[in-house]
Amino acid sequence: MGYLIVVAASVVVGVAAYVATMRAGRERPAAVGFDPEAEDGEPATVEAPGPGYTYLRIPVRGPSWRDRIEGVVGLLVLLFVASTVLAFGMYQLGHLVNVIIERFLER
């Protein structure tokens, strides 16, 4: 029964987040600098961005093979380092528990 409550709560939260983001997207343009009401596909004339905003360049091509390989290698290195740190931390925690138990039993 507990699992059913968790699944139902997660579905309700997911639907609420979806509805909230869909409404927020309809109230204003999806991105700064794009006018959904521009005619004939012409770019909209947009004023300069206000303070704290900037225009972002959007790449038209996907990442190169070199970028993809660097990403995979970086992910593998990060995974290795994270698992090594986790294993070392668990070992140290077990060692600490062992020392505490040994000290308790020696008394």
Side-chain angles (χ1 to χ4, degrees):
M1 183 65 182
Y3 294 120
L4 185 61
I5 292 172
V6 170
V7 169
S10 64
V11 168
V12 168
V13 169
V15 168
Y18 176 77
V19 169
T21 55
M22 292 306 291
R23 284 189 182 160
R26 290 183 190 150
E27 293 174 1
R28 49 195 136 141
V32 175
F34 293 96
D35 185 11
E37 292 149 6
E39 296 176 8
D40 300 328
E42 297 177 8
T45 55
V46 180
E47 301 174 12
Y53 291 96
T54 186
Y55 289 113
L56 301 175
R57 293 185 182 184
I58 301 173
V60 274
R61 293 186 306 214
S64 68
W65 282 104
R66 181 179 179 203
D67 293 336
R68 293 177 184 181
I69 291 173
E70 284 179 359
V72 168
V73 169
L75 182 63
L76 291 175
V77 167
L78 182 63
L79 184 63
F80 174 75
V81 169
S83 61
T84 303
V85 167
L86 180 64
F88 182 72
M90 289 177 66
Y91 173 78
Q92 289 297 324
L93 182 63
H95 178 68
L96 177 66
V97 169
N98 189 24
V99 167
I100 291 173
I101 290 173
E102 285 179 354
R103 286 184 184 170
F104 179 73
L105 293 178
E106 288 178 2
R107 290 186 181 192

